[in-house]
Amino acid sequence: TGVYGDYGGDWVTEDTELRCVDAKSKARVVAEQEWCKLEPADDQNNNDNDSNAGPRVDCFRCGGIYGPGRGPLFSSLSSLNEALAAETDELPQQTPAVMKYVNRILVDDICGAVLAAVEGDRPRCGGRAYNLVDDDPAPRKQVVAEARRLLSPSPEEVQGQSSVSSSDAATKNTRRRISRATGNKRCDNSRLKEDYGWKLKAPTYREGLALLLENSDLKL
């Protein structure tokens, strides 16, 4: 979803202008364009009785991927506390107008989207992009707070874990650099649902984190 660039937290669809400025996102835009050339446009279909002739190209624009072993639920309590403190320090007067949204997707729902596309079909139109994100592009602070709540540590355990490993710190710094480069927006996923009947196992991070906890052996 970094291909959209910065929209100040506004909603974007697959038809929204791509404003990315970082090299990685620009490369993804070029890759999309090249792949979409493989799918014929409507006016290239010679057989009027078969509008679905030719290859179909779907380009999935994924949000931040989380799943088993990946995401705030699998971070140390100290890392979660540091992340919450950092988010508060960075935006002490955080309001909806300046809130930094994060588009994310549970890995299971990526698989579900790919299967829905493989089993489905649509008219050829020269390639089609899809936002592969859940229904709630929530700020990272809310997700981290929910992860900590699910882990349910006692106040003593939370206060007792004050150090952050070098790997945790490096991950946090990398995430901030990526966040600044890819901008702030909320991605709409309606097109994927309408075209292929895609259904999410985790419509929001709340269901996603709960599913991961239920199917893991996480213990405090």
Side-chain angles (χ1 to χ4, degrees):
T1 56
V3 295
Y4 294 107
D6 186 30
Y7 273 85
D10 286 345
W11 285 95
V12 299
T13 71
E14 293 84 350
D15 294 324
T16 300
E17 178 188 1
L18 305 182
R19 297 178 179 174
C20 55
V21 295
D22 63 295
K24 182 178 290 186
S25 295
K26 286 183 175 180
R28 286 173 174 156
V29 172
V30 173
E32 275 192 15
Q33 293 169 344
E34 292 301 311
W35 274 107
C36 286
K37 290 178 182 178
L38 299 177
E39 179 179 317
D42 285 340
D43 58 3
Q44 293 176 332
N45 287 315
N46 297 322
N47 187 347
D48 293 336
N49 295 322
D50 186 3
S51 62
N52 294 339
R56 175 165 48 98
V57 177
D58 295 328
C59 297
F60 295 106
R61 297 171 177 171
C62 290
I65 302 171
Y66 70 104
R70 179 171 178 169
L73 203 61
F74 303 91
S75 298
S76 64
L77 287 175
S78 60
S79 179
L80 294 179
N81 292 328
E82 287 285 334
L84 286 171
E87 294 285 338
T88 301
D89 291 342
E90 287 183 1
L91 287 174
Q93 305 298 326
Q94 196 173 68
T95 66
V98 297
M99 193 170 289
K100 176 64 175 74
Y101 295 96
V102 179
N103 300 277
R104 57 182 57 80
I105 187 71
L106 180 66
V107 66
D108 297 49
D109 284 321
I110 295 178
C111 298
V114 172
L115 287 174
V118 168
E119 294 169 357
D121 206 352
R122 58 168 176 75
R124 303 300 181 260
C125 57
R128 199 154 166 84
Y130 292 95
N131 290 332
L132 191 38
V133 297
D134 68 18
D135 296 340
D136 184 9
R140 182 169 178 268
K141 182 176 181 179
Q142 294 180 11
V143 182
V144 172
E146 177 67 4
R148 191 175 68 172
R149 185 191 72 79
L150 288 173
L151 293 175
S152 301
S154 67
E156 292 77 14
E157 287 174 308
V158 172
Q159 295 171 4
Q161 302 202 30
S162 58
S163 62
V164 181
S165 69
S166 59
S167 61
D168 284 338
T171 299
K172 181 170 63 177
N173 291 334
T174 298
R175 186 182 295 113
R176 287 178 180 173
R177 288 196 299 272
I178 293 173
S179 176
R180 286 194 293 269
T182 57
N184 184 18
K185 66 273 176 183
R186 287 175 284 177
C187 298
D188 181 88
N189 61 17
S190 299
R191 175 182 288 184
L192 187 53
K193 295 176 180 176
E194 293 167 358
D195 282 7
Y196 293 124
W198 179 50
K199 299 185 185 305
L200 290 134
K201 287 182 66 175
T204 77
Y205 67 89
R206 299 173 188 84
E207 293 89 350
L209 293 179
L211 279 171
L212 290 173
L213 185 61
E214 180 182 351
N215 293 292
S216 74
D217 57 358
L218 285 171
K219 289 182 173 56
L220 291 174

